[in-house]
Amino acid sequence: MTEPILSTQDIVVRFGVLQAVSHASIDVVEGRVTGLIGPNGAGKTTCFNVITGLQEPTSGKVFFNGKDITNKNPYKRARMGIARTFQKLEVFGSLSARENILVAAEQRKTWDRSGFDPNAVCNEMLEKVGLSDVSEFMVGTLPTGTARLVELARALALNPRVLLLDEPSSGLNEDETEEMASLLRKFVDEGLAVLLVEHDMSFVMGTCEYIHVLDFGTIIATGTPAEIQANPVVQSAYLGTETVEEAS
Amino acid sequence: MRGKLNGRLVAAIVVALILAFIVNKNWGAASFFDSKNLSTFLVVGIALGGIYAITAGGLVVTYATTGIFNFAHAAIGCFLAFVYWQLSHQYHLPLLLAMAITLLVVAPALGILLDRVIMRRLRDASLVVQLMVTVGLMLTIMGLTLTIWSPKTSRTIPHFFESSKGVQIGSVVATWHRIITVVVALLVAVALRWLLYRTRLGISMRAVVDSRSLAGLVGAKPSVISGASWSLGCMTAGLAGILIAPETGLVVENLALIIIVAAAAAAIAQLKSIPMAFVGGLIIGLATAFSAVFLQFGKDYSYASEAIPCVILFIALLFLPQARLSTGKIRLTKRTERLTKPWEALLGAFAIVAIVGAWANGWIPWFTGTTFGERSAIWLGRGAGFLVFGLVMISLIPLIGWAGQVSFANFAIAGIGALLFVHFGGGDGNPMGIVWVMLVCAPLGLLIALPALRLKGLYLALATMAFAEFTDKVIARHPSLLDPSNSGVLYKPLKILGFSISSAANDRKAFVMFLVITFALLFLMLELLRRTRWARRWIAMSDSPAASATIGVNLTTSKMAVFMLSGAMAGFAGCMLGLQNGALRVDSFPMFAGLPIVLLLAVQGVRYPIAAFMGVLGLASFPAISEVFGNPSWLTQLALIGPGIAAVAMAYRPEGAVFYTGRDVAGLLPWRQDARDEKKLLEAKEREQNIGKDEINDLGLTRPFTEDKVAQLDRVLAITDLVDEKKMVPGGAR
Ligand SMILES: Nc1ncnc2c1ncn2[C@@H]1O[C@H](COP(=O)(O)OP(=O)(O)O)[C@@H](O)[C@H]1O
Ligand SMILES: [Mg+2]
């Protein structure tokens, strides 16, 4: 197995008495989609916040590209190549869809010296996620699903090395979800590392090469999709034994 | 963790040293160890602190239970103190009865009224709107109080039991009034604590802030709760007002200014802890008494003791913990607009110059009469004044409108700029002086914001308001900035392109033209800036700080940049302010004078540069309206009440007049298909959201389920196909 580009070590996050994440270690490897699944409230979003620096962990470390980034500012992590989307939309509602992406592309100028043209990147991303038609509309006026695509394009415009996606398919219909899956595939084949939180099981099982299962803040299983589906702990804790039996 | 602790320790030591230096330098003749001095200090300090504690406690209760920081808190207390005076000293009701009516009838009624009419609409409003509405309420209440009870008559509320001796404490007599004050403060503290932690109403009041749906689950009615919160707030405000009025006199400005004290105490309480709010109030009371008894500020700092609450607020801000970058809280405003194109901006700039130019030259027939809008020297002078305020407004657009940093300090910065300009060339008519002033004001703008940069936006508003007060009481009164003996015109006319620009009657037309041209240029500059990455980054930062950080925006430096820009623009406005005033006095820049400027801009729409021009017209409308009615006495406070009420109305129209006009007009223009398209999208989106609220109720009862309704419902209720067995198989659904 290749060296992970991003890994967390024994992350613990406590909110008062609630231990939202307990000793979670997650590895993300370049060129593949890593899944992070678990029921609501399992601590998935909190893990994302720890990785991107929005939440300080109570203990534990985050490594990126071999460096300890646990105490780095969120913006510095972004500059190193970590991008994300949010479960609850965090778009820039009073900028147009184009500007949302442009902000990111221009921001990338501050650390990426490859001499790219932000406007070109922006157009390319709009094209890729299929937003060219609505690019001039204020994002606040767009439907949720479309706004989610704006967020995705904004993250991709940073040309990240690791992309964290927090329930990207919620608000999308089946076709759009499938389109997103194939888009992701393209980027991943070019070497992007993706950490995916998702409730849509067919999406997860069809896209991820490797999956971590989180339950009550603890990683209860890791493995390939097939292994996860066969894992009895996962079945009882998360997927519901009954359902799995019916499926098999 | 360790580094942070050390940082705080260092800050604490530095602050302590500075305070020790100031105290030492200004130590008066009084001996600290004299028991009389000491007991005076304690008796006065604790009594004053008790009153401050009540007002701060009430402010924190309303904030903690409604999420709205009420800038009008002290003004409400002031109003109620006047009501009490009216009942007790005009209608000669017994004191206790008058107090009971004021605090148990009028105050709760006012609270419920405020809640119903205004505050309830603010729950989901942006911070900018919340701030503007409550500041507007403050000005409205102040204006109304001044209208009802003319400040020309002096009124006093006597101390309680003024005739009896009081109690001997040490070598000092504690009057009954002070003893009552302290007892009442203690009772209020205990009562508030008991109410919030021991009663069902209080517990639901606290729950409601955390989660409205949670409060609904425990069976609390949100409407009852917020009504109760506001009533409680008004009652504590009124109580404090009645208790402090005998000390300060029934003077509206003094009583309304207590908001700074309350804000400082609330900052110490981190806006949530009621016991700490009381401690904060006590600290401020003691500090004030300490300075009154022991310190003697030199004549250079004669008003420094009045700035103590401001300084305590700044210190409190230094020690507040850093705000988290929270997620999931953004609200998507439904805005249909597009970027202004450069040629449109150019057209706008020309229009501004043309309109004002035509007026100033007397080419507009209706405005050449003898009274209303008369193009006389008086009105040209006023016009210059409004344009100067317009320059202050335009300096706020990048700051408040784009970066979302609500600052009330820009008028104070402009004031400092005006004073600096005297020294930097304005005294000799040297235009280069303007550049120097701008270069000083840019870092000044940053300096003011520095303590609040890492905190929630509300603290910035508090800090900047405190700075405005500090400027009025300390900076603008320092003789090295403004020689108090010099009462003449401080500036020589500016010579630009052969025109002479000053406030002298002959120069006024040129001055107005110069102002409007620079105004239009700044307008154009902002419109073009809006299309650059700077403005984009600021707006992004304001829309979602968390998302900005995760795309690599350094929030600190980007805020710093906008504060510098705004500071420089305010500095320019300041030079013009000085030139327009000609002669300046030490009290030319009171804190309250800056507020209507901010409010009028916000009312027009703080995101749009053109709003600054509309704000100028708004300013001009108040004296014009007053003239139309023949300057009646009930309109004397229009300059306060007008902007106040307009700002309060933002509870109903949060985006500002420019936005609503623009939206409605754009759709009518034949070439703006985009506006119509966007409106359609918006309506579709609203439908999508409303299904969560109304349509769920009657779905299936009055109308049959349709497939897309079910799909929408699933989305609203976050029902995922988690247990859909077909999808368990990898790719099984495909
Ligand atoms: N800022 C916070 N303060 C307190 N509790 C929180 C906070 N953020 C998340 N939690 C709690 O932590 C747990 C994990 O939440 P989250 O990471 O959002 O779960 P998931 O994304 O897996 O649904 C939940 O019980 C949630 O209520
Ligand atoms: Mg989540």
Side-chain angles (χ1 to χ4, degrees), chain A residues 55 75 78-79 89-94 99 102-103 106-107 137-138 140-142 144 154 158 199 229 243, chain B residues 324 327-328 330 335 337 530 533 536-537 543-544 547 549-554 607 678 681-682 685 688 728:
Chain A
Q55 171 71 51
Y75 78 90
R79 292 175 180 194
L89 283 181
E90 289 281 337
V91 284
F92 307 132
S94 37
E99 283 180 308
L102 197 52
V103 163
E106 284 164 345
Q107 208 50 48
F137 291 139
M138 297 286 145
T141 63
L142 296 177
T144 320
R154 183 181 70 191
L158 294 172
H199 278 313
Q229 283 179 53
T243 323
Chain B
R324 277 190 67 235
T327 55
I330 64 159
R335 236 185 273 283
E337 66 189 44
R530 173 60 188 84
R533 63 201 169 95
R536 277 194 283 276
R537 191 188 304 153
D543 279 353
S544 168
T550 54
I551 60 167
V553 175
N554 182 343
R607 318 166 50 84
E678 196 160 320
L681 257 178
L682 204 64
K685 182 169 177 156
E688 183 192 344
M728 267 308 298

Short mmCIF file of all heavy atoms in Angstrom, two decimals, chain A residues 55 75 78-79 89-94 99 102-103 106-107 137-138 140-142 144 154 158 199 229 243, chain B residues 324 327-328 330 335 337 530 533 536-537 543-544 547 549-554 607 678 681-682 685 688 728:
data_model
loop_
_atom_site.label_atom_id
_atom_site.label_comp_id
_atom_site.label_asym_id
_atom_site.label_seq_id
_atom_site.Cartn_x
_atom_site.Cartn_y
_atom_site.Cartn_z
N GLN A 55 -11.76 22.97 13.38
CA GLN A 55 -12.00 22.49 14.73
C GLN A 55 -10.68 21.99 15.31
O GLN A 55 -10.01 21.14 14.70
CB GLN A 55 -13.03 21.35 14.70
CG GLN A 55 -13.22 20.63 16.01
CD GLN A 55 -13.94 21.50 17.02
OE1 GLN A 55 -14.98 22.07 16.73
NE2 GLN A 55 -13.36 21.64 18.20
N TYR A 75 -6.34 28.40 6.49
CA TYR A 75 -5.95 28.90 5.16
C TYR A 75 -4.62 28.34 4.71
O TYR A 75 -4.38 28.12 3.52
CB TYR A 75 -5.98 30.43 5.12
CG TYR A 75 -4.80 31.15 5.74
CD1 TYR A 75 -3.69 31.45 4.97
CD2 TYR A 75 -4.81 31.52 7.07
CE1 TYR A 75 -2.61 32.12 5.53
CE2 TYR A 75 -3.75 32.18 7.64
CZ TYR A 75 -2.64 32.48 6.87
OH TYR A 75 -1.58 33.14 7.41
N ALA A 78 -5.26 24.97 3.27
CA ALA A 78 -5.80 25.09 1.92
C ALA A 78 -4.66 25.32 0.94
O ALA A 78 -4.64 24.75 -0.16
CB ALA A 78 -6.80 26.23 1.86
N ARG A 79 -3.71 26.13 1.34
CA ARG A 79 -2.60 26.45 0.44
C ARG A 79 -1.70 25.25 0.22
O ARG A 79 -0.99 25.17 -0.78
CB ARG A 79 -1.81 27.63 0.99
CG ARG A 79 -2.64 28.90 0.94
CD ARG A 79 -1.98 30.09 1.58
NE ARG A 79 -2.88 31.25 1.45
CZ ARG A 79 -2.51 32.49 1.66
NH1 ARG A 79 -1.26 32.78 1.99
NH2 ARG A 79 -3.38 33.47 1.53
N LEU A 89 -24.52 23.92 3.16
CA LEU A 89 -23.90 24.79 2.16
C LEU A 89 -23.14 25.96 2.78
O LEU A 89 -23.62 26.63 3.69
CB LEU A 89 -24.99 25.37 1.27
CG LEU A 89 -25.54 24.43 0.20
CD1 LEU A 89 -26.60 25.15 -0.61
CD2 LEU A 89 -24.42 23.97 -0.71
N GLU A 90 -21.96 26.18 2.31
CA GLU A 90 -21.18 27.35 2.69
C GLU A 90 -20.74 28.09 1.43
O GLU A 90 -19.57 28.38 1.23
CB GLU A 90 -19.95 26.96 3.51
CG GLU A 90 -20.24 26.48 4.91
CD GLU A 90 -20.52 27.61 5.90
OE1 GLU A 90 -20.10 28.75 5.67
OE2 GLU A 90 -21.20 27.32 6.90
N VAL A 91 -21.69 28.35 0.57
CA VAL A 91 -21.35 29.11 -0.64
C VAL A 91 -21.32 30.60 -0.32
O VAL A 91 -21.78 31.02 0.73
CB VAL A 91 -22.38 28.87 -1.76
CG1 VAL A 91 -22.16 27.53 -2.39
CG2 VAL A 91 -23.78 29.02 -1.22
N PHE A 92 -20.77 31.38 -1.22
CA PHE A 92 -20.78 32.83 -1.06
C PHE A 92 -22.05 33.34 -1.74
O PHE A 92 -22.06 33.61 -2.94
CB PHE A 92 -19.53 33.44 -1.67
CG PHE A 92 -18.26 32.80 -1.16
CD1 PHE A 92 -17.27 32.40 -2.04
CD2 PHE A 92 -18.08 32.60 0.20
CE1 PHE A 92 -16.09 31.81 -1.56
CE2 PHE A 92 -16.91 32.01 0.68
CZ PHE A 92 -15.93 31.62 -0.20
N GLY A 93 -23.10 33.47 -0.94
CA GLY A 93 -24.43 33.68 -1.51
C GLY A 93 -24.62 34.98 -2.26
O GLY A 93 -25.47 35.07 -3.12
N SER A 94 -23.81 36.00 -1.98
CA SER A 94 -24.03 37.25 -2.68
C SER A 94 -23.02 37.47 -3.80
O SER A 94 -22.88 38.58 -4.29
CB SER A 94 -24.07 38.44 -1.72
OG SER A 94 -23.15 38.27 -0.69
N GLU A 99 -18.24 34.07 -9.86
CA GLU A 99 -17.37 34.71 -8.90
C GLU A 99 -16.99 33.77 -7.76
O GLU A 99 -15.87 33.83 -7.24
CB GLU A 99 -18.05 35.96 -8.31
CG GLU A 99 -18.03 37.15 -9.24
CD GLU A 99 -18.72 38.36 -8.64
OE1 GLU A 99 -19.87 38.20 -8.19
OE2 GLU A 99 -18.12 39.44 -8.61
N LEU A 102 -14.27 31.91 -9.14
CA LEU A 102 -13.16 32.81 -9.44
C LEU A 102 -12.38 33.19 -8.18
O LEU A 102 -11.15 33.24 -8.17
CB LEU A 102 -13.71 34.06 -10.13
CG LEU A 102 -12.74 34.95 -10.89
CD1 LEU A 102 -11.94 34.11 -11.87
CD2 LEU A 102 -13.49 36.06 -11.62
N VAL A 103 -13.10 33.43 -7.10
CA VAL A 103 -12.44 33.76 -5.83
C VAL A 103 -11.42 32.68 -5.49
O VAL A 103 -10.27 32.97 -5.14
CB VAL A 103 -13.47 33.90 -4.69
CG1 VAL A 103 -12.79 33.84 -3.34
CG2 VAL A 103 -14.22 35.20 -4.81
N GLU A 106 -8.48 32.70 -8.01
CA GLU A 106 -7.57 33.82 -7.76
C GLU A 106 -6.77 33.60 -6.49
O GLU A 106 -5.60 33.96 -6.40
CB GLU A 106 -8.38 35.11 -7.63
CG GLU A 106 -8.85 35.63 -8.96
CD GLU A 106 -9.95 36.66 -8.81
OE1 GLU A 106 -10.53 36.76 -7.72
OE2 GLU A 106 -10.25 37.35 -9.78
N GLN A 107 -7.43 33.00 -5.52
CA GLN A 107 -6.74 32.72 -4.27
C GLN A 107 -5.58 31.78 -4.52
O GLN A 107 -4.50 31.93 -3.97
CB GLN A 107 -7.76 32.11 -3.30
CG GLN A 107 -7.46 32.36 -1.86
CD GLN A 107 -7.20 33.82 -1.57
OE1 GLN A 107 -7.94 34.69 -1.98
NE2 GLN A 107 -6.12 34.10 -0.86
N PHE A 137 -25.71 34.04 -12.24
CA PHE A 137 -26.70 34.22 -11.18
C PHE A 137 -26.05 34.26 -9.82
O PHE A 137 -25.07 33.56 -9.57
CB PHE A 137 -27.73 33.09 -11.21
CG PHE A 137 -28.63 33.13 -12.41
CD1 PHE A 137 -28.98 31.97 -13.07
CD2 PHE A 137 -29.12 34.34 -12.87
CE1 PHE A 137 -29.81 32.01 -14.18
CE2 PHE A 137 -29.95 34.38 -13.97
CZ PHE A 137 -30.29 33.22 -14.62
N MET A 138 -26.62 35.05 -8.92
CA MET A 138 -26.18 35.04 -7.54
C MET A 138 -26.47 33.64 -6.97
O MET A 138 -27.56 33.11 -7.14
CB MET A 138 -26.97 36.05 -6.72
CG MET A 138 -26.76 37.47 -7.16
SD MET A 138 -25.14 38.07 -6.68
CE MET A 138 -24.75 39.10 -8.07
N GLY A 140 -27.10 32.71 -4.08
CA GLY A 140 -28.22 32.68 -3.15
C GLY A 140 -29.54 32.36 -3.82
O GLY A 140 -30.48 31.91 -3.16
N THR A 141 -29.63 32.59 -5.12
CA THR A 141 -30.89 32.34 -5.80
C THR A 141 -30.95 30.95 -6.43
O THR A 141 -31.98 30.55 -6.93
CB THR A 141 -31.12 33.37 -6.92
OG1 THR A 141 -30.07 33.21 -7.89
CG2 THR A 141 -31.09 34.78 -6.41
N LEU A 142 -29.84 30.23 -6.40
CA LEU A 142 -29.82 28.93 -7.08
C LEU A 142 -30.42 27.84 -6.19
O LEU A 142 -30.32 27.91 -4.97
CB LEU A 142 -28.38 28.55 -7.44
CG LEU A 142 -27.68 29.47 -8.44
CD1 LEU A 142 -26.24 29.02 -8.66
CD2 LEU A 142 -28.43 29.48 -9.76
N THR A 144 -30.67 24.28 -4.20
CA THR A 144 -29.64 23.68 -3.37
C THR A 144 -28.68 22.79 -4.15
O THR A 144 -27.46 22.86 -3.97
CB THR A 144 -30.29 22.85 -2.26
OG1 THR A 144 -31.43 23.56 -1.78
CG2 THR A 144 -29.34 22.59 -1.13
N ARG A 154 -15.79 25.15 -6.83
CA ARG A 154 -14.93 26.07 -6.08
C ARG A 154 -13.76 25.30 -5.47
O ARG A 154 -12.61 25.75 -5.52
CB ARG A 154 -15.75 26.75 -4.99
CG ARG A 154 -14.99 27.77 -4.20
CD ARG A 154 -15.87 28.39 -3.14
NE ARG A 154 -16.18 27.45 -2.07
CZ ARG A 154 -17.10 27.66 -1.13
NH1 ARG A 154 -17.80 28.76 -1.15
NH2 ARG A 154 -17.32 26.77 -0.19
N LEU A 158 -9.21 25.03 -6.83
CA LEU A 158 -7.97 25.21 -6.06
C LEU A 158 -6.90 24.24 -6.53
O LEU A 158 -5.77 24.30 -6.06
CB LEU A 158 -8.23 24.99 -4.58
CG LEU A 158 -9.14 25.99 -3.88
CD1 LEU A 158 -9.46 25.52 -2.49
CD2 LEU A 158 -8.48 27.35 -3.84
N HIS A 199 -24.16 9.35 2.28
CA HIS A 199 -25.20 8.44 2.75
C HIS A 199 -25.72 7.55 1.64
O HIS A 199 -26.31 6.50 1.90
CB HIS A 199 -26.36 9.24 3.35
CG HIS A 199 -26.11 9.64 4.76
ND1 HIS A 199 -25.63 8.77 5.71
CD2 HIS A 199 -26.27 10.83 5.39
CE1 HIS A 199 -25.50 9.40 6.86
NE2 HIS A 199 -25.87 10.66 6.70
N GLN A 229 -19.09 -4.57 3.48
CA GLN A 229 -20.43 -5.12 3.41
C GLN A 229 -20.54 -6.47 4.08
O GLN A 229 -21.60 -6.86 4.57
CB GLN A 229 -20.86 -5.24 1.95
CG GLN A 229 -21.24 -3.90 1.41
CD GLN A 229 -21.64 -3.96 -0.04
OE1 GLN A 229 -22.49 -4.76 -0.41
NE2 GLN A 229 -21.00 -3.16 -0.84
N THR A 243 -31.46 -5.48 6.86
CA THR A 243 -31.36 -5.03 5.48
C THR A 243 -30.32 -5.83 4.71
O THR A 243 -30.55 -6.25 3.59
CB THR A 243 -30.94 -3.56 5.44
OG1 THR A 243 -31.56 -2.90 6.52
CG2 THR A 243 -31.28 -2.93 4.14
N ARG B 324 -14.56 30.93 17.13
CA ARG B 324 -14.40 29.79 16.23
C ARG B 324 -14.94 30.16 14.86
O ARG B 324 -15.83 30.99 14.74
CB ARG B 324 -15.18 28.59 16.75
CG ARG B 324 -14.46 27.78 17.80
CD ARG B 324 -15.20 26.49 18.07
NE ARG B 324 -15.18 25.61 16.91
CZ ARG B 324 -16.27 25.12 16.34
NH1 ARG B 324 -17.45 25.43 16.79
NH2 ARG B 324 -16.18 24.31 15.31
N THR B 327 -19.57 26.86 11.13
CA THR B 327 -20.15 26.50 9.84
C THR B 327 -21.64 26.24 10.01
O THR B 327 -22.13 26.09 11.12
CB THR B 327 -19.50 25.23 9.26
OG1 THR B 327 -19.62 24.20 10.23
CG2 THR B 327 -18.05 25.45 8.92
N GLY B 328 -22.31 26.18 8.88
CA GLY B 328 -23.73 25.84 8.92
C GLY B 328 -24.61 26.99 9.35
O GLY B 328 -25.77 26.80 9.67
N ILE B 330 -24.68 30.09 7.55
CA ILE B 330 -24.84 31.15 6.55
C ILE B 330 -26.31 31.24 6.15
O ILE B 330 -27.04 30.26 6.15
CB ILE B 330 -23.99 30.91 5.29
CG1 ILE B 330 -24.43 29.64 4.57
CG2 ILE B 330 -22.53 30.84 5.63
CD1 ILE B 330 -24.00 29.64 3.13
N ARG B 335 -30.99 37.45 -3.60
CA ARG B 335 -30.67 38.70 -4.27
C ARG B 335 -30.67 38.45 -5.76
O ARG B 335 -30.01 37.56 -6.24
CB ARG B 335 -29.25 39.07 -3.90
CG ARG B 335 -29.06 40.36 -3.30
CD ARG B 335 -27.58 40.51 -3.16
NE ARG B 335 -27.15 39.94 -1.91
CZ ARG B 335 -27.32 40.55 -0.78
NH1 ARG B 335 -27.92 41.69 -0.74
NH2 ARG B 335 -26.89 40.02 0.32
N GLU B 337 -29.40 40.27 -8.71
CA GLU B 337 -28.68 41.43 -9.19
C GLU B 337 -27.50 40.95 -10.02
O GLU B 337 -27.17 39.78 -10.04
CB GLU B 337 -28.18 42.28 -8.01
CG GLU B 337 -27.14 41.57 -7.19
CD GLU B 337 -26.80 42.31 -5.90
OE1 GLU B 337 -27.73 42.78 -5.25
OE2 GLU B 337 -25.63 42.39 -5.56
N ARG B 530 -15.24 46.80 -7.16
CA ARG B 530 -16.17 45.69 -6.95
C ARG B 530 -15.93 44.56 -7.96
O ARG B 530 -16.24 43.40 -7.69
CB ARG B 530 -17.60 46.21 -7.05
CG ARG B 530 -18.71 45.17 -7.03
CD ARG B 530 -18.70 44.35 -5.75
NE ARG B 530 -19.66 43.24 -5.83
CZ ARG B 530 -19.38 42.07 -6.38
NH1 ARG B 530 -18.19 41.84 -6.89
NH2 ARG B 530 -20.30 41.12 -6.42
N ARG B 533 -10.55 41.22 -7.70
CA ARG B 533 -10.49 40.10 -6.76
C ARG B 533 -10.54 40.56 -5.31
O ARG B 533 -10.94 39.83 -4.43
CB ARG B 533 -9.25 39.26 -7.02
CG ARG B 533 -7.96 39.98 -6.80
CD ARG B 533 -6.86 39.24 -7.57
NE ARG B 533 -5.66 40.01 -7.60
CZ ARG B 533 -4.67 39.85 -6.73
NH1 ARG B 533 -4.76 38.94 -5.80
NH2 ARG B 533 -3.59 40.58 -6.81
N ARG B 536 -14.17 40.80 -4.36
CA ARG B 536 -14.70 39.43 -4.33
C ARG B 536 -14.29 38.73 -3.05
O ARG B 536 -15.06 38.04 -2.41
CB ARG B 536 -14.19 38.65 -5.53
CG ARG B 536 -15.00 38.89 -6.80
CD ARG B 536 -14.67 37.85 -7.84
NE ARG B 536 -13.39 38.08 -8.50
CZ ARG B 536 -13.23 38.89 -9.55
NH1 ARG B 536 -14.25 39.53 -10.04
NH2 ARG B 536 -12.04 39.04 -10.10
N ARG B 537 -13.00 38.90 -2.70
CA ARG B 537 -12.50 38.19 -1.52
C ARG B 537 -13.19 38.71 -0.26
O ARG B 537 -13.55 37.95 0.62
CB ARG B 537 -10.99 38.39 -1.43
CG ARG B 537 -10.36 37.48 -0.40
CD ARG B 537 -8.92 37.83 -0.19
NE ARG B 537 -8.16 37.79 -1.44
CZ ARG B 537 -7.07 38.53 -1.65
NH1 ARG B 537 -6.62 39.34 -0.71
NH2 ARG B 537 -6.42 38.45 -2.79
N ASP B 543 -19.57 36.54 3.52
CA ASP B 543 -20.63 35.54 3.32
C ASP B 543 -20.35 34.26 4.10
O ASP B 543 -21.24 33.69 4.71
CB ASP B 543 -20.78 35.20 1.83
CG ASP B 543 -21.60 36.24 1.09
OD1 ASP B 543 -22.14 37.13 1.77
OD2 ASP B 543 -21.67 36.17 -0.14
N SER B 544 -19.14 33.77 4.04
CA SER B 544 -18.80 32.57 4.80
C SER B 544 -17.32 32.60 5.17
O SER B 544 -16.46 32.24 4.37
CB SER B 544 -19.09 31.31 3.99
OG SER B 544 -18.50 30.22 4.65
N ALA B 547 -15.71 29.04 4.84
CA ALA B 547 -15.40 28.60 3.49
C ALA B 547 -14.25 29.41 2.91
O ALA B 547 -13.40 28.88 2.19
CB ALA B 547 -16.64 28.73 2.60
N ALA B 549 -11.72 30.64 4.52
CA ALA B 549 -10.47 30.10 5.07
C ALA B 549 -10.10 28.81 4.37
O ALA B 549 -8.93 28.59 4.05
CB ALA B 549 -10.62 29.88 6.57
N THR B 550 -11.09 27.97 4.06
CA THR B 550 -10.74 26.69 3.46
C THR B 550 -10.42 26.81 1.96
O THR B 550 -10.06 25.82 1.35
CB THR B 550 -11.85 25.64 3.65
OG1 THR B 550 -13.06 26.18 3.16
CG2 THR B 550 -12.00 25.28 5.10
N ILE B 551 -10.59 28.00 1.38
CA ILE B 551 -10.04 28.15 0.03
C ILE B 551 -8.75 28.97 0.09
O ILE B 551 -8.26 29.44 -0.93
CB ILE B 551 -11.03 28.78 -0.98
CG1 ILE B 551 -11.45 30.17 -0.53
CG2 ILE B 551 -12.22 27.89 -1.20
CD1 ILE B 551 -12.16 30.95 -1.63
N GLY B 552 -8.21 29.14 1.28
CA GLY B 552 -6.89 29.75 1.39
C GLY B 552 -6.88 31.24 1.64
O GLY B 552 -5.84 31.88 1.48
N VAL B 553 -8.02 31.82 2.03
CA VAL B 553 -8.02 33.25 2.32
C VAL B 553 -7.48 33.47 3.73
O VAL B 553 -7.97 32.86 4.68
CB VAL B 553 -9.44 33.84 2.21
CG1 VAL B 553 -9.45 35.29 2.63
CG2 VAL B 553 -9.96 33.68 0.80
N ASN B 554 -6.51 34.33 3.85
CA ASN B 554 -6.03 34.73 5.16
C ASN B 554 -6.96 35.82 5.68
O ASN B 554 -6.89 36.97 5.25
CB ASN B 554 -4.60 35.24 5.06
CG ASN B 554 -4.05 35.60 6.42
OD1 ASN B 554 -4.79 35.78 7.38
ND2 ASN B 554 -2.73 35.71 6.50
N ARG B 607 -24.39 47.75 0.48
CA ARG B 607 -23.50 47.06 -0.45
C ARG B 607 -23.25 47.84 -1.73
O ARG B 607 -22.37 47.50 -2.50
CB ARG B 607 -24.10 45.71 -0.84
CG ARG B 607 -24.72 44.95 0.30
CD ARG B 607 -25.56 43.82 -0.22
NE ARG B 607 -24.80 43.06 -1.17
CZ ARG B 607 -23.96 42.10 -0.85
NH1 ARG B 607 -23.80 41.79 0.40
NH2 ARG B 607 -23.30 41.47 -1.77
N GLU B 678 -33.74 35.38 -13.41
CA GLU B 678 -33.29 35.13 -12.05
C GLU B 678 -34.47 35.18 -11.09
O GLU B 678 -34.53 34.41 -10.13
CB GLU B 678 -32.24 36.18 -11.67
CG GLU B 678 -31.47 35.77 -10.45
CD GLU B 678 -30.16 36.50 -10.33
OE1 GLU B 678 -29.48 36.69 -11.34
OE2 GLU B 678 -29.82 36.87 -9.21
N LEU B 681 -36.09 31.84 -11.16
CA LEU B 681 -35.31 30.88 -10.38
C LEU B 681 -35.60 31.04 -8.89
O LEU B 681 -35.77 30.08 -8.15
CB LEU B 681 -33.82 31.14 -10.60
CG LEU B 681 -33.08 30.21 -11.52
CD1 LEU B 681 -31.64 30.65 -11.65
CD2 LEU B 681 -33.13 28.80 -10.96
N LEU B 682 -35.66 32.30 -8.51
CA LEU B 682 -35.86 32.63 -7.11
C LEU B 682 -37.20 32.11 -6.62
O LEU B 682 -37.31 31.52 -5.54
CB LEU B 682 -35.84 34.15 -6.99
CG LEU B 682 -35.48 34.68 -5.65
CD1 LEU B 682 -34.05 34.27 -5.37
CD2 LEU B 682 -35.56 36.19 -5.70
N LYS B 685 -37.09 28.51 -6.14
CA LYS B 685 -36.37 28.16 -4.93
C LYS B 685 -37.24 28.37 -3.69
O LYS B 685 -37.23 27.57 -2.77
CB LYS B 685 -35.10 29.01 -4.83
CG LYS B 685 -34.32 28.64 -3.62
CD LYS B 685 -32.97 29.24 -3.64
CE LYS B 685 -32.31 28.87 -2.34
NZ LYS B 685 -30.91 28.87 -2.38
N GLU B 688 -39.50 25.62 -3.25
CA GLU B 688 -38.81 24.45 -2.73
C GLU B 688 -38.67 24.54 -1.21
O GLU B 688 -38.85 23.56 -0.50
CB GLU B 688 -37.42 24.34 -3.36
CG GLU B 688 -36.67 23.11 -2.93
CD GLU B 688 -35.20 23.18 -3.35
OE1 GLU B 688 -34.86 24.01 -4.21
OE2 GLU B 688 -34.42 22.41 -2.79
N MET B 728 -27.76 -1.60 -1.76
CA MET B 728 -26.68 -2.14 -0.95
C MET B 728 -25.61 -2.79 -1.80
O MET B 728 -24.43 -2.76 -1.49
CB MET B 728 -27.21 -3.18 0.04
CG MET B 728 -27.57 -2.61 1.39
SD MET B 728 -26.23 -1.67 2.08
CE MET B 728 -25.00 -2.96 2.22
#
